[in-house]
Amino acid sequence: MTATIALVDDDRNILTSVSIALQAEGFLTRVYSDGETALKALIENPPDLAIFDIKMPRMDGLELLRRMREKSMVPVIFLTSKDDELDEALGLAMGADDYIAKPFSQRLLIARIRAILRRSEASHPGASESADPAETVLVRGRLSMDTSRHKVTWNGGDVTLTVTEFLILEALAQRPGVVKTRNQLMDAAYQDDIYVDDRTIDSHIKRVRRKFRQTDPDFDAIETLYGAGYRFSEE
């Protein structure tokens, strides 16, 4: 089935050029020139993936993501200015799946879109309907991860993760006590040789911890080993 990509950007040139490039790759596209116009459409008729500019009039990308995340977990890629580290960190903390800095290569953007869509499809409910349910559930102490339904619980309480967060946590939980380097976590969450710098993985880990601490303020199962990486403690 053809994937639908929503583009939200106040720059008409970017809307046009990216839309044409995506359509040439076989995607369907919907374009919106500001966040306020896009919000209702994205919630009522969700695309398979959305691309948001951060700096927009009327409603910026961060506010659009915040309001959309109240009702939807559609994967989101942020477009940012080259030096907007704070915006990048905020976007990841609020639930974006990835970001790419302007000016950007359309080839790189399309590669990231395809990678996220593949991860989303693999984690989509029903993607493993023929599998034995027992084989799709990873249990590590108080953690339970249902890979076929993209469902995570801690102490029986639901924890909502994005696709990228889910894959990073899964990589850690598969081998409790074993240190995973940032490069290994990048490989688990970002395939196709897409470069992602260290701070992106660190931001994802911080966001995962924050979400678990909303369920359990004492959550400390993801340990940082400075200079080495991260590991999951089964307790």
Side-chain angles (χ1 to χ4, degrees):
M1 183 177 293
T2 302
T4 298
I5 312 298
L7 308 171
V8 189
D9 198 311
D10 62 319
D11 187 326
R12 292 285 184 180
N13 291 329
I14 288 180
L15 284 181
T16 300
S17 62
V18 174
S19 181
I20 290 173
L22 291 177
Q23 289 171 18
E25 293 292 322
F27 295 108
L28 299 177
T29 60
R30 302 181 202 144
V31 298
Y32 307 93
S33 59
D34 66 84
E36 190 172 288
T37 300
L39 179 61
K40 183 177 179 181
L42 293 176
I43 291 175
E44 291 184 351
N45 188 17
D48 295 289
L49 181 143
I51 301 170
F52 297 167
D53 185 26
I54 287 186
K55 299 187 185 308
M56 295 185 291
R58 300 179 67 187
M59 182 187 296
D60 66 21
L62 294 171
E63 177 64 11
L64 174 59
L65 177 64
R66 184 189 70 79
R67 294 178 63 175
M68 194 180 80
R69 279 288 176 258
E70 294 173 356
K71 300 186 177 185
S72 171
M73 292 304 295
V74 165
V76 170
I77 296 175
F78 265 132
L79 300 181
T80 72
S81 297
K82 185 174 182 180
D83 298 321
D84 286 343
E85 295 184 16
L86 178 60
D87 285 345
E88 292 169 2
L90 281 172
L92 291 172
M94 293 168 64
D97 290 86
D98 208 342
Y99 65 84
I100 186 167
K102 297 179 180 179
F104 56 87
S105 157
Q106 290 186 354
R107 182 187 63 80
L108 175 59
L109 177 61
I110 289 169
R112 291 196 182 187
I113 288 170
R114 291 193 185 282
I116 290 175
L117 287 175
R118 279 197 296 273
R119 296 199 302 268
S120 181
E121 182 180 357
S123 299
H124 191 279
S128 303
E129 288 179 353
S130 60
D132 181 344
E135 296 179 356
T136 67
V137 178
L138 176 68
V139 178
R140 297 288 185 266
R142 290 180 282 172
L143 174 70
S144 176
M145 302 184 71
D146 187 334
T147 58
S148 68
R149 294 176 174 80
H150 192 193
K151 180 179 176 63
V152 177
T153 62
W154 177 261
N155 267 350
D158 290 337
V159 180
T160 301
L161 301 180
T162 65
V163 172
T164 303
E165 294 165 356
F166 187 96
L167 290 172
I168 289 173
L169 178 61
E170 183 182 26
L172 290 169
Q174 282 176 338
R175 300 188 65 190
V178 175
V179 178
K180 293 282 188 177
T181 66
R182 289 175 176 83
N183 284 338
Q184 289 173 320
L185 295 177
M186 289 176 195
D187 289 342
Y190 294 89
Q191 300 172 6
D192 296 335
D193 297 324
I194 295 175
Y195 172 74
V196 181
D197 62 22
D198 287 355
R199 71 186 181 199
T200 302
I201 296 298
D202 293 341
S203 295
H204 281 306
I205 292 289
K206 289 177 183 177
R207 191 169 76 246
V208 169
R209 285 172 171 155
R210 186 179 303 117
K211 289 183 175 181
F212 273 88
R213 285 170 182 160
Q214 291 173 353
T215 297
D216 176 8
D218 296 323
F219 174 83
D220 61 357
I222 299 177
E223 302 176 19
T224 301
L225 284 86
Y226 293 98
Y230 298 93
R231 70 182 173 196
F232 182 84
S233 174
E234 195 172 0
E235 298 180 341

